[in-house]
Amino acid sequence: MILCLSHSIMGSDRKALPVLILMTVFLFSGSPSFTSGSRARVTVPRIEEAQSPASPRPSAAPGPAVQLVFKEQHVVLDNGILQVTLSNPEGSVTGIQYNGIDNVLEVENGESNRGYWDVVWSAAGTNGTKGKLDRLEGTKLEVIVENEDQVELSFTRTWNFSLSGTVVPINVDKRFVLLRGSSGLYTYAVYEHLAEWPAFIIDNTRTVFKLRKDKFHYMAMADNRQRYMPLPDDREAPRGQALAYPEAVRLVDPMEPEFKGEVDDKYQYSCESKDISVHGWISSDPPTGFWQITPSIEFRSGGPTKQFLTSHVGPTSLNVFLSAHYSGEDLVMKFGPDEPWKKVFGPVFVYLNSLMGDGDPTSLWEDAKQQFIAEEQKWPYSFPASEDFMPADQRGKVSGRLLVLDRYSREESLPATGAYVGLSPTGEIGSWQRETKGYQFWTRADVDGLFSITNIRPGDYNLFAWVPGFMGDYKYQYTVTISPGLDIDLSDLIYKPPRNGPTFWEIGVPDRTAAEFYVPDPNPLYINKLYINHPDRFRQYGLWERYAELYPDGDLVYHVGSSDYRKDWFFTQVTRKRENNTYEGTTWQIKFMLEAVNISAAYTLQVALATAHVSELQIRFNNPDKNPPLFTTGIIGKDNTIARHGIHGLYWNYTITVPGTELAMGENTIFLTQTKSESPFQGVMYDYIRFEGPSYDRPNHR
């Protein structure tokens, strides 16, 4: 698991935090005191030594017993640290009392619009990624566990044909768990669709918490991605000016002048699944943190690099398990007739923390990171009462070593250092990035290519991998069947990346992103101050418009041997806006020299795309008007990565045969034409391009 951080938070050179975590894994020792703070921008303090969390069993946890109290239309969970109120029988979180705050959730919202699970769904056969919102309100409450150490509640809704067209056709079981001595609430849900029920589509499912806007002003999701945030009122006209799409707003007259001129857009705070471990909000008066902690990503769709929303202006905190963002309909969950399905989402941990005394409230972020580590170490949890959640003794393990054999690069295989290795439901090579219905289990190989995947739920899987620095995807040829307690050692596995001949030249780095290419400075009218001089400079608004400004008289031309892809290759091939407010496709050129050409031989162009949005990439050699082109992708992608400030979406990999007759001695030109041009957001991002010479016999050694 990798935190959404700029560096590791573990080490021996860090000081103890001035914070106490009031959770099962820490001791509670009295009420903290607080110092009021302003909304002035602050610098997060350097933490010299992390606390070492203890992990007592819930039954040994200190503090008062957990209490369950029924009221007229509510039920209250109370462990002496926090008090959680839920609507009965709907199962919405209407209030969380903590640290002297009567309710950390937005009291100006209706009770059903504070803390909830939801699903966006539609009937089978519909297109697009827009559907109906269903808050998954329960119709029955059942107490599953009630003792001094734990209370677990179940809010269920059972589907039947009389509900057709009104709510999503699944049975829903939402669970909420409060433990003794814990400074937070666990929640998980079980969705079930029976075979005889209607076909349907799920576009999105998540947990949502909307916090008090008069309290929570500072947002954090990484060491280098945290800041004070504007108010939701600042986004509304006339204080806010809508830009190219509703999510993006320029703050022209915000309530606090420090935000004037900035762009606010929730997509600027997206994160890859593997990095969404802890994120949330801080109040300075009193110093209080509200965090969503995700100890495992096994229940999220699309694998470790799938991108999801996190927190944004509201203040809103999300935990998204399935979405079409940065992927389009390929990541929509589609169910056909006679298709049974059941899945457990979570548990996730809604964690609250506070300062024991005077101090910088932003240190609560450091504390929340330590809490994530404690939660991750306890996964899979032992306390969930649902029989659908698999405890550790019902899970299995797979280990092995992955090697890479790139036969025209070197004769011997080398360790797949840093490879992403995972188990996903059975499918074609690379299918993991489009998989939505099952569970996925991922790890990273060490410097020797060794990997170990633990806590795998029973079932049939394929083992997939991809290796930074090499193109393509690996798939183990056999199905991996996991049963409880099984430990499988696959020994040495060999990945042979796409390769037909020796490298003549290459552009970029094969890492599935366009991050190494040139990302321009934003238009000064459309900045987010967080991303000035930031590694994620691609998250600024409006960068697609900079292309035409940088290339006003013609499209990009790249000269192999003299151009530098870090400065001379724009990070995305976009459309060009015309004077009549329409758009046109663009054609980029790659110019390279060949001293000799074998016209009877076949050359190879390897092209890897980091994303595409309603685009068609046509490739021609030495004749920009030749039809049909040597190669076309056809219309691909609905990632919308360009508009959503991403640097990658879904990965596409093409191996293109180039007959020697297409080439010439001396200078050659490759024409890359993106033909579709209905909007400014159509285009592609390249990951890597490599031109290979003709193949020749070379020993294939280990």
Side-chain angles (χ1 to χ4, degrees):
M1 176 71 70
I2 302 171
L3 288 169
C4 190
L5 311 175
S6 60
H7 60 272
S8 172
I9 65 172
M10 302 183 68
S12 60
D13 62 337
R14 300 176 185 263
K15 293 181 180 177
L17 300 174
V19 182
L20 183 68
I21 309 291
L22 308 179
M23 193 192 154
T24 303
V25 296
F26 292 95
L27 299 179
F28 176 64
S29 59
S31 301
S33 59
F34 307 99
T35 301
S36 298
S38 68
R39 290 192 59 189
R41 188 182 179 104
V42 299
T43 301
V44 178
R46 184 173 183 266
I47 306 301
E48 296 295 338
E49 181 177 351
Q51 288 181 318
S52 176
S55 300
R57 294 176 61 85
S59 60
V66 183
Q67 300 292 323
L68 175 64
V69 178
F70 283 86
K71 298 185 177 181
E72 289 185 1
Q73 295 180 325
H74 299 88
V75 60
V76 180
L77 304 174
D78 191 338
N79 67 357
I81 299 171
L82 73 162
Q83 186 181 92
V84 181
T85 302
L86 300 107
S87 60
N88 181 10
E90 295 84 3
S92 297
V93 184
T94 65
I96 300 177
Q97 181 178 322
Y98 173 76
N99 194 27
I101 304 175
D102 288 341
N103 195 348
V104 302
L105 303 181
E106 182 52 79
V107 294
E108 293 185 3
N109 288 3
E111 287 198 342
S112 64
N113 191 30
R114 297 177 186 175
Y116 53 88
W117 287 76
D118 69 16
V119 160
V120 177
W121 72 284
S122 54
T126 57
N127 295 319
T129 56
K130 303 293 184 183
K132 304 175 183 178
L133 179 66
D134 186 343
R135 290 277 171 88
L136 302 180
E137 294 182 343
T139 57
K140 178 183 177 182
L141 165 61
E142 182 178 357
V143 179
I144 304 299
V145 177
E146 184 181 10
N147 58 49
E148 291 185 346
D149 298 319
Q150 175 178 342
V151 170
E152 179 165 343
L153 302 180
S154 168
F155 296 86
T156 56
R157 185 180 73 193
T158 302
W159 194 87
N160 60 65
F161 281 93
S162 69
L163 299 173
S164 295
T166 59
V167 297
V168 59
I170 58 174
N171 287 335
V172 179
D173 183 358
K174 298 184 297 183
R175 299 291 182 100
F176 297 91
V177 182
L178 186 64
L179 302 180
R180 190 175 191 171
S182 173
S183 186
L185 176 73
Y186 295 90
T187 184
Y188 65 107
V190 183
Y191 298 172
E192 181 181 27
H193 179 258
L194 302 185
E196 62 268 25
W197 289 354
F200 73 109
I201 296 169
I202 295 180
D203 302 335
N204 186 296
T205 190
R206 61 188 184 169
T207 61
V208 182
F209 289 91
K210 298 181 178 180
L211 309 180
R212 286 177 57 165
K213 67 180 181 180
D214 65 332
K215 291 288 186 184
F216 292 90
H217 302 141
Y218 191 86
M219 186 178 78
M221 63 197 62
D223 284 347
N224 65 348
R225 295 179 69 191
Q226 49 186 271
R227 59 166 294 173
Y228 279 100
M229 297 292 286
L231 295 169
D233 312 69
D234 296 333
R235 292 179 50 88
E236 303 297 326
R239 294 188 179 277
Q241 176 189 17
L243 297 175
Y245 44 88
E247 293 86 352
V249 172
R250 184 169 183 263
L251 308 178
V252 294
D253 184 27
M255 298 180 72
E256 297 190 35
E258 65 180 285
F259 302 113
K260 186 173 183 178
E262 285 202 67
V263 170
D264 178 70
D265 185 343
K266 65 182 180 181
Y267 293 111
Q268 293 177 319
Y269 305 105
S270 297
C271 217
E272 290 185 348
S273 182
K274 64 183 175 60
D275 299 331
I276 307 176
S277 303
V278 52
H279 65 92
W281 291 83
I282 295 172
S283 166
S284 59
D285 184 20
T288 303
F290 182 100
W291 313 97
Q292 290 213 55
I293 291 177
T294 309
S296 170
I297 64 170
E298 67 184 44
F299 39 80
R300 286 204 189 112
S301 63
T305 54
K306 171 69 175 70
Q307 295 165 92
F308 295 97
L309 294 171
T310 56
S311 292
H312 59 80
V313 163
T316 298
S317 177
L318 306 174
N319 205 326
V320 185
F321 311 118
L322 166 76
S323 83
H325 296 145
Y326 305 94
S327 56
E329 288 189 59
D330 284 353
L331 264 294
V332 165
M333 194 183 291
K334 298 181 179 180
F335 293 91
D338 303 317
E339 185 175 356
W341 172 75
K342 181 185 281 190
K343 186 171 182 177
V344 180
F345 295 94
V348 297
F349 186 47
V350 179
Y351 172 63
L352 292 94
N353 61 356
S354 56
L355 291 178
M356 286 302 296
D358 294 343
D360 190 335
T362 58
S363 64
L364 295 172
W365 161 250
E366 297 293 335
D367 180 82
K369 292 189 302 185
Q370 293 300 309
Q371 191 61 48
F372 160 72
I373 293 172
E375 297 299 314
E376 184 185 39
Q377 291 172 347
K378 294 186 294 181
W379 185 269
Y381 294 130
S382 60
F383 60 80
S386 172
E387 63 181 13
D388 295 307
F389 181 80
M390 297 293 175
D393 62 0
Q394 295 297 306
R395 296 177 179 235
K397 175 183 176 182
V398 172
S399 58
R401 182 171 71 150
L402 183 64
L403 304 170
V404 179
L405 181 60
D406 189 357
R407 65 191 184 99
Y408 284 100
S409 176
R410 55 183 293 162
E411 293 186 1
E412 297 182 350
S413 58
L414 70 160
T417 301
Y420 291 82
V421 187
L423 293 182
S424 179
T426 56
E428 300 299 319
I429 188 167
S431 61
W432 58 268
Q433 69 170 341
R434 292 174 170 82
E435 205 286 320
T436 60
K437 297 176 183 177
Y439 302 89
Q440 297 196 36
F441 304 87
W442 287 85
T443 190
R444 294 199 72 175
D446 66 13
V447 294
D448 298 315
L450 295 169
F451 64 88
S452 177
I453 306 171
T454 59
N455 297 318
I456 308 164
R457 291 175 61 103
D460 291 335
Y461 301 91
N462 282 136
L463 185 138
F464 298 100
W466 66 274
V467 187
F470 296 91
M471 294 179 63
D473 281 275
Y474 171 80
K475 176 187 173 184
Y476 181 55
Q477 59 183 318
Y478 302 111
T479 298
V480 178
T481 300
I482 300 296
S483 58
L486 185 64
D487 187 344
I488 300 174
D489 184 356
L490 297 177
S491 191
D492 287 357
L493 307 175
I494 305 294
Y495 171 49
K496 299 178 181 179
R499 168 76 74 172
N500 288 336
T503 299
F504 278 16
W505 52 261
E506 59 188 349
I507 300 173
V509 177
D511 62 359
R512 297 180 179 241
T513 82
E516 69 270 30
F517 298 124
Y518 177 70
V519 179
D521 291 330
N523 184 323
L525 294 176
Y526 304 115
I527 63 167
N528 182 319
K529 293 177 183 177
L530 175 62
Y531 296 113
I532 296 174
N533 299 320
H534 192 282
D536 290 358
R537 54 190 292 123
F538 57 83
R539 298 189 188 277
Q540 296 281 12
Y541 174 86
L543 297 182
W544 57 87
E545 296 177 344
R546 297 301 323 279
Y547 174 75
E549 296 171 6
L550 293 169
Y551 297 92
D553 302 320
D555 287 325
L556 182 150
V557 179
Y558 187 90
H559 295 270
V560 173
S562 60
S563 295
D564 182 345
Y565 64 77
R566 295 168 297 182
K567 298 184 295 183
D568 302 319
W569 190 274
F570 199 76
F571 78 105
T572 179
Q573 184 172 357
V574 292
T575 55
R576 181 186 294 273
K577 189 174 183 179
R578 295 171 173 168
E579 292 182 357
N580 60 357
N581 212 31
T582 61
Y583 299 88
E584 62 183 3
T586 53
T587 297
W588 290 10
Q589 299 178 45
I590 303 172
K591 293 185 177 293
F592 63 99
M593 301 294 293
L594 289 176
E595 295 182 356
V597 175
N598 183 347
I599 62 173
S600 62
Y603 298 71
T604 302
L605 184 69
Q606 305 278 6
V607 177
L609 300 179
T611 190
H613 183 63
V614 195
S615 298
E616 180 185 11
L617 180 63
Q618 297 181 355
I619 299 179
R620 298 173 173 86
F621 277 71
N622 293 321
N623 182 354
D625 301 317
K626 183 177 180 180
N627 283 310
L630 175 67
F631 174 81
T632 177
T633 60
I635 300 176
I636 58 171
K638 291 188 178 179
D639 299 2
N640 211 14
T641 301
I642 296 167
R644 288 174 174 156
H645 324 295
I647 202 64
H648 76 86
L650 295 179
Y651 178 74
W652 306 79
N653 185 36
Y654 301 98
T655 297
I656 303 162
T657 299
V658 183
T661 53
E662 294 282 334
L663 303 170
M665 291 180 58
E667 186 177 78
N668 290 262
T669 303
I670 300 175
F671 297 92
L672 305 171
T673 301
Q674 197 295 103
T675 64
K676 311 310 290 184
S677 57
E678 287 77 33
S679 87
F681 306 124
Q682 289 173 279
V684 300
M685 293 182 188
Y686 296 91
D687 168 38
Y688 177 69
I689 301 175
R690 183 174 70 224
F691 186 64
E692 300 171 357
S695 62
Y696 57 85
D697 292 334
R698 183 171 185 170
N700 192 357
H701 297 304
R702 288 289 299 273

